[in-house]
């Protein structure tokens, strides 16, 4: 063997051994790095998708809640219209359609036709479309009440036909039927239909009897007498001018139609399940009863059963996590959790709905992890391919192996290192990071997916900052300090349950006589939308406070402006406005749908409600009229004006704070300044809630009449 050959062999040995060591180490490092990156990527993407699913549940719960509130408002409007027409005189009887007319050819409404929304369920669950009329309501009376065909109330109820058609057209598919039943048994329903059983008497239905017994709005679940469908009914008594109950108005809704099944399926997967659940006691254990389930096939149930007899509960084999979920829902919390459902590993997202109820979304876990698993698998495949490429290059190239391995590993691993460094910067709060990779392979796909996550994180931060700014603006709209008025001690505060709220209070100087004006308002709902409406109402009220006209006219002007601003959103604003005379001896007030103010006389222990005649809240009807009332004030009296977030605050036992606690607290603290009385009330409410989340905005104004400024 020549020296040249030996030298070549020696150089080859010295170069090959380090090359093999470096090759093994670098290839193992590539595998470890790929495994680490794939796990981090999968975990991060799953967290983002779970957050979006939780947001979907919260958005859906708010939407269902808003629709429910809108339907309650619609029922109240129907009751108000009914009370108006039932107290008005009429002449003659119009041509109307009774239930038997709908079954008699030649007497039927011209538009009577089958509807897919209204169907009759047979014993096998088969749905047959039922015929309805959208132009005419139906009138019905129980057996033995034929004289009701000549009842003048038919003419009065028939006057409601345009309003019923309008409500039905605007309410959407969730609204099933509207009907009114009088104490006499006379019954009108819209849309019109002829599917009443011969022995049916609406006065014996629980929705009628409960509304009469409780004398308030009632929610419950029933079987529709005409179709056999399971529906949810909201009912409310109708009263005459003397307060006597004349009958009951009710709305049937299909809660399943409000669950957004189609929208959620397009967003996530057809495997998604949506529920509305509420806590119920079963065998001395609190469980989550299913009140509505999207896609649930109904079976025929006799209408005589009044209510569905099937009681289903959400179940999971993981009892510990199910118990935590139940407790969260009882406490009105929203969250996302992973646990089995029907034997399938799933992701549950839930958000509060109507008190202790909750909106629940359940998606099989593989739907959530499908994209992250695919991305992680691509990363691992890429690492394995790199491992083979580096190994092959090590054996093929001998002389240039070190250089090729160095340059090749740097080129191949570089994109992963860039993404690792970018991920560290994101963890440190730098969201301006952008990874520029142009490899035209899986690495570029991974980089593009990484870059697409950053705008979503920026959006979340931007929304958070916007909410902080909205809260700051909302706080700036409220008085920073109370005015200094001779003989009066004033103090007010507003605490929102969200970042922003719909409660409002303010002070102003009465232009006409120089007295002191106090405003307390409450917009329906809370959050950003309520805060925007509050800001609009505040602007109108501020402008109106500079006018010299009578107080009722100024409030009526503000109502007209709000009606134009609100439109058909269904929102409104309650208001209590009080103007105290310059000498503090009298107060004039207008109550627009707001809770009454209270006057306390510590010297005698008496209290007095400033009720007046009931008047509509602002933003409901443009032509609403308002009246003012006057009350005499005495030295030492305390005036309290507030919103229902105080006495309706609840603790963990679902017990409300109540007005009695408020009354006792004010009387007990009567000798203290107004600001200290205010703080006593706020501290008492917080202590009573005992860590429970604040469900509604809290606003109050305390006015102490320390001295009358009457001239001697």
């Amino acid at each position: 063997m020549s020296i040249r050959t030996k030298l070549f062999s020696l150089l080859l040995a010295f170069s090959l051994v380090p090359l093999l060591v470096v090759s093994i180490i670098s290839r193992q490092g590539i595998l470890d790095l790929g495994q680490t990156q794939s796990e981090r990527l999968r975990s991060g993407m799953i967290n983002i998708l779970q957050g979006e699913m939780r947001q979907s549940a919260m958005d859906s719960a708010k939407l269902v809640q808003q629709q429910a509130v809108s339907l309650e408002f619609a029922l109240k409007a129907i009751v108000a219209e009914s009370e108006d027409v039932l107290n008005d005189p009429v002449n003659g009887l119009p041509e109307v359609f009774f239930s038997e007319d709908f079954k008699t050819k030649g007497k039927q409404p011209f538009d009577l036709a089958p509807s897919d929304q209204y169907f009759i369920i047979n014993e096998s669950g088969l749905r047959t479309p039922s015929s309805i009329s959208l132009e005419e309501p139906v009138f019905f009376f129980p057996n033995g009440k034929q004289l009701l065909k000549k009842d003048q109330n038919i003419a009065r109820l028939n006057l409601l036909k345009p309003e019923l058609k309008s409500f039905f057209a605007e309410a959407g598919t969730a609204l099933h039927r509207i009907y009114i039943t009088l104490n006499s048994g006379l019954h009108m329903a819209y849309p019109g239909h002829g599917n009443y059983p011969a022995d049916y008497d609406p006065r014996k239905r629980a929705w009628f009897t409960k509304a009469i017994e409780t004398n308030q709005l009632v929610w419950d679940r029933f079987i529709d007498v005409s179709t056999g469908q399971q529906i949810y009914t909201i009912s409310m008594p109708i009263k005459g001018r003397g307060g006597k109950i004349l009958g009951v108005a009710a709305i049937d809704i299909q809660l399943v139609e409000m669950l957004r099944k189609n929208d959620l399926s397009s967003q996530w997967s057809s495997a998604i399940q949506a529920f509305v659940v509420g806590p119920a006691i079963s065998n001395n254990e609190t469980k989550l009863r299913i009140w509505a389930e999207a896609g649930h096939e109904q079976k025929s149930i006799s209408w005589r059963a009044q209510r569905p007899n099937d009681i289903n509960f959400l179940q999971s084999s993981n009892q510990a996590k199910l118990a935590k979920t139940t407790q969260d829902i009882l406490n009105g919390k929203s969250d996302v959790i992973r646990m089995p459902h029907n034997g399938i590993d799933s992701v549950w997202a839930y958000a509060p709905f109507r008190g202790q109820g909750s909106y629940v979304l359940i998606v099989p876990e593989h739907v959530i992890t499908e994209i992250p698993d695919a991305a992680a698998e691509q990363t691992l495949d890429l690492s394995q391919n790199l491992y083979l490429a580096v190994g092959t290059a090590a054996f093929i190239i001998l002389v240039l192996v070190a250089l090729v391995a160095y340059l090749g590993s740097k080129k191949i691993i570089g994109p992963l290192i860039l993404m690792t460094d970018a991920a560290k910067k994101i963890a440190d709060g730098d969201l301006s990071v952008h990874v520029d990779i142009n490899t035209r392979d899986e690495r570029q796909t991974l980089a593009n997916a990484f870059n697409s996550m950053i705008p979503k994180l920026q959006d979340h931060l931007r929304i958070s900052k916007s909410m902080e700014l909205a809260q700051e603006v909302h706080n700036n709209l409220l008085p920073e300090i109370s005015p200094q008025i001779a003989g009066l001690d004033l103090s007010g505060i507003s605490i929102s349950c969200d970042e922003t709220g719909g409660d409002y209070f303010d002070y102003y100087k009465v232009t006409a006589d120089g007295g002191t004006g106090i405003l307390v308002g409450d917009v329906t709902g809370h959050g950003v939308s309520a805060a925007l409406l509050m800001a609009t109402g505040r602007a109108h009220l501020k402008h109106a406070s500079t006018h010299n006209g009578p107080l009722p006219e100024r409030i009526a002007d503000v109502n007209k402006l709000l009606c134009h601003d609100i439109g058909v959103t269904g929102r409104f604003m309650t208001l209590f406005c009080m103007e105290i005379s310059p000498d503090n001896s009298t107060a004039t007030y207008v109550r627009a749908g707001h809770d009454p103010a209270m006057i306390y006389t510590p010297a005698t222990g008496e209290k007095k409600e400033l009720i007046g005649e009931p008047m509509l809240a602002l933003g409901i009807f443009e032509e609403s009229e308002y009246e003012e009332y006057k009350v005499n004030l005495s030295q030492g009296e305390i005036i309290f004006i507030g919103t229902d977030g105080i006495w309706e605050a609840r603790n963990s036992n679902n017990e409300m704070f109540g007005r009695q606690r408020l009354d006792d607290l004010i009387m007990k603290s009567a000798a203290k300044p107004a600001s200290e009385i205010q703080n006593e009330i706020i501290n008492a409410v917080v202590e009573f809630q005992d860590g429970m989340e604040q469900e509604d905005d809290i606003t109050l104004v305390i006015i102490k009449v320390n001295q009358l400024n009457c001239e001697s």
Side-chain angles (χ1 to χ4, degrees):
M1 182 181 296
S2 64
I3 295 177
R4 183 176 180 179
T5 302
K6 290 181 180 180
L7 181 59
F8 175 76
S9 300
L10 181 61
L11 291 175
L12 181 62
F14 274 103
S15 61
L16 183 59
V17 171
L19 175 63
L20 291 175
V21 172
V22 171
S23 175
I24 293 172
I25 294 175
S26 63
R27 288 186 294 168
Q28 187 61 43
I30 291 172
L31 285 178
D32 293 342
L33 180 61
Q35 182 69 34
T36 301
Q37 291 298 322
S38 66
E39 291 176 356
R40 288 181 179 178
L41 177 62
R42 183 180 185 275
S43 177
M45 293 183 71
I46 287 176
N47 289 337
I48 292 175
L49 291 173
Q50 287 180 343
E52 292 184 353
M53 186 174 172
R54 177 180 179 181
Q55 188 63 44
S56 292
M58 295 175 66
D59 291 343
S60 298
K62 288 181 179 179
L63 180 59
V64 174
Q65 176 78 2
Q66 290 171 357
Q67 289 178 299
V69 170
S70 297
L71 289 170
E72 286 183 354
F73 175 73
L75 177 60
K76 292 177 181 178
I78 291 170
V79 169
E81 293 286 345
S82 301
E83 291 175 348
D84 285 342
V85 300
L86 288 173
N87 287 288
D88 291 338
V90 292
N91 293 320
L93 290 174
E95 181 180 351
V96 297
F97 293 86
F98 291 91
S99 57
E100 60 266 22
D101 296 333
F102 279 76
K103 300 179 181 180
T104 307
K105 290 186 178 181
K107 292 186 177 182
Q108 300 167 332
F110 72 92
D111 68 323
L112 185 67
S115 170
D116 292 335
Q117 183 180 349
Y118 295 84
F119 49 84
I120 300 175
I121 307 174
N122 63 14
E123 295 179 355
S124 63
L126 180 65
R127 302 182 177 187
T128 303
S130 176
S131 295
I132 63 168
S133 170
L134 295 177
E135 290 297 326
E136 298 292 341
V138 60
F139 284 85
F140 172 83
F141 50 83
N143 281 337
K145 294 287 185 177
Q146 282 77 7
L147 290 177
L148 291 176
K149 273 196 172 183
K150 303 297 183 180
D151 193 336
Q152 290 295 310
N153 283 325
I154 292 176
R156 295 185 177 96
L157 293 179
N158 196 55
L159 294 175
L160 297 174
K161 181 165 64 175
E163 282 75 12
L164 297 183
K165 292 170 66 175
S166 176
F167 282 134
F168 186 82
E170 295 173 1
T173 58
L175 178 56
H176 184 70
R177 205 180 306 279
I178 311 170
Y179 43 92
I180 298 169
T181 300
L182 303 183
N183 292 339
S184 64
L186 183 62
H187 174 86
M188 181 183 75
Y190 181 87
H193 65 93
N195 298 327
Y196 288 101
D199 58 343
Y200 177 65
D201 189 340
R203 297 170 298 176
K204 297 180 180 179
R205 298 286 281 178
W207 55 262
F208 184 93
T209 57
K210 275 194 172 183
I212 297 293
E213 291 172 1
T214 61
N215 196 20
Q216 63 184 7
L217 187 144
V218 176
W219 276 77
D220 212 335
R221 190 181 183 198
F222 296 99
I223 303 300
D224 182 22
V225 67
S226 61
T227 63
Q229 294 177 243
Q230 298 182 25
I231 47 88
Y232 291 78
T233 299
I234 324 172
S235 58
M236 185 176 179
I238 302 171
K239 300 179 181 179
R241 288 196 175 97
K244 179 181 179 181
I245 296 178
L246 305 178
V248 173
I251 290 179
D252 288 345
I253 63 173
Q254 295 176 311
L255 196 55
V256 171
E257 293 293 331
M258 301 165 66
L259 291 180
R260 301 179 63 225
K261 171 68 175 179
N262 294 334
D263 294 342
L264 294 169
S265 296
S266 62
Q267 180 181 358
W268 294 96
S269 166
S270 59
I272 193 168
Q273 294 175 277
F275 304 87
V276 170
V277 302
I281 303 298
S282 176
N283 297 326
N284 296 323
E285 181 183 357
T286 302
K287 296 183 179 181
L288 298 178
R289 180 177 179 179
I290 299 173
W291 285 104
E293 175 182 356
H296 177 65
E297 291 296 331
Q298 300 184 29
K299 296 182 180 180
S300 176
I301 304 176
S302 171
W303 65 272
R304 294 177 178 83
Q306 294 256 21
R307 295 179 178 83
N309 50 21
D310 58 322
I311 300 179
N312 297 319
F313 299 95
L314 277 181
Q315 301 288 346
S316 176
S317 57
N318 192 324
Q319 294 299 314
K321 288 187 175 181
L322 182 61
K324 177 188 179 300
T325 300
T326 303
Q327 190 61 43
D328 284 351
I329 290 175
L330 280 171
N331 295 334
K333 294 182 179 180
S334 61
D335 202 355
V336 60
I337 192 169
R338 299 167 74 173
M339 63 176 167
H341 178 250
N342 292 336
I344 300 175
D345 290 338
S346 303
V347 177
W348 300 41
Y350 46 91
F353 163 71
R354 291 197 66 80
Q356 287 192 328
S358 183
Y359 189 97
V360 181
L361 296 179
I362 301 179
V363 180
E365 193 169 296
H366 67 81
V367 174
I368 297 293
T369 60
E370 184 176 352
I371 296 177
D373 285 344
E377 187 176 350
Q378 286 183 345
T379 304
L380 288 175
D381 290 344
L382 175 61
S383 301
Q384 292 174 351
N385 292 337
L386 294 177
Y387 181 90
L388 294 175
V390 172
T392 303
F395 285 99
I396 295 177
I397 304 174
L398 296 178
V399 178
L400 300 177
V401 66
L403 180 61
V404 171
Y406 173 77
L407 295 178
S409 63
K410 184 177 181 180
K411 181 177 180 61
I412 294 172
I413 301 175
L416 298 178
I417 295 177
L418 284 176
M419 283 186 282
T420 302
D421 293 339
K424 291 179 180 178
K425 291 180 179 179
I426 291 176
D428 293 335
D430 183 5
L431 297 181
S432 63
V433 176
H434 184 81
V435 180
D436 293 319
I437 297 176
N438 186 20
T439 59
R440 298 182 181 181
D441 57 15
E442 290 85 350
R443 291 169 294 174
Q444 184 173 345
T445 301
L446 182 60
N448 292 338
F450 183 88
N451 290 331
S452 66
M453 291 190 303
I454 298 176
K456 294 181 179 180
L457 295 175
Q458 291 173 330
D459 288 340
H460 284 294
L461 287 178
R462 184 165 56 254
I463 291 173
S464 178
K465 291 180 179 179
S466 297
M467 292 303 297
E468 292 177 1
L469 178 60
Q471 184 178 16
E472 181 179 348
V473 172
H474 173 259
N475 292 335
N476 290 337
L477 293 178
L478 301 174
E480 292 185 5
I481 58 175
S482 300
Q484 300 298 315
I485 308 297
L488 296 181
D489 181 11
L490 298 92
S491 183
I493 191 172
S494 182
I495 304 174
S496 302
C497 63
D498 290 335
E499 290 84 355
T500 57
D503 278 8
Y504 164 64
F505 78 96
D506 207 349
Y507 314 102
Y508 64 93
K509 184 175 182 180
V510 180
T511 305
D513 60 6
T516 304
I518 302 99
L519 295 166
V520 175
D522 186 358
V523 176
T524 53
H526 44 79
V528 175
S529 58
L532 290 175
L533 179 54
M534 182 276 281
T536 302
R538 174 186 181 274
H540 294 324
L541 289 166
K542 277 283 190 182
H543 179 69
S545 68
T546 62
H547 295 174
N548 289 325
L551 180 57
E553 292 183 6
R554 284 179 272 149
I555 299 300
D557 291 340
V558 172
N559 174 64
K560 290 179 181 179
L561 293 172
L562 271 182
C563 286
H564 287 292
D565 293 338
I566 295 173
V568 295
T569 62
R571 289 188 174 273
F572 57 88
M573 176 181 185
T574 67
L575 177 71
F576 193 98
C577 179
M578 173 179 284
E579 293 184 351
I580 301 176
S581 62
D583 61 4
N584 302 336
S585 64
T586 61
T588 303
Y589 65 92
V590 171
R591 186 169 73 92
H594 200 81
D595 288 291
M598 302 291 295
I599 295 182
Y600 299 87
T601 307
T604 62
E606 296 179 352
K607 67 173 183 177
K608 176 170 54 179
E609 284 187 310
L610 302 184
I611 300 177
E613 291 295 328
M615 287 172 274
L616 287 179
L618 306 183
I620 298 179
F621 294 113
E622 185 175 344
E623 300 304 323
S624 295
E625 296 182 355
Y626 299 91
E627 296 182 17
E628 67 179 14
Y629 298 88
K630 182 174 289 187
V631 62
N632 293 323
L633 301 180
S634 300
Q635 182 173 326
E637 288 184 332
I638 301 173
I639 305 173
F640 170 85
I641 312 173
T643 59
D644 56 9
I646 299 173
W647 47 85
E648 291 184 1
R650 294 179 182 272
N651 59 17
S652 57
N653 296 323
N654 200 29
E655 179 186 6
M656 290 200 300
F657 186 79
R659 286 187 174 271
Q660 188 60 49
R661 283 189 178 88
L662 178 64
D663 296 341
D664 295 342
L665 187 59
I666 292 176
M667 284 293 190
K668 181 181 178 181
S669 308
K672 298 180 180 179
S675 60
E676 293 188 20
I677 297 176
Q678 165 196 293
N679 293 336
E680 291 281 352
I681 294 173
I682 297 301
N683 293 337
V685 172
V686 173
E687 182 180 355
F688 175 80
Q689 289 177 311
D690 192 24
M692 289 289 291
E693 183 178 353
Q694 182 180 332
E695 297 179 352
D696 199 1
D697 304 332
I698 293 177
T699 299
L700 62 94
V701 174
I702 300 292
I703 308 157
K704 292 192 67 177
V705 183
N706 291 335
Q707 182 179 350
L708 301 182
N709 301 326
C710 301
E711 296 182 0
S712 56

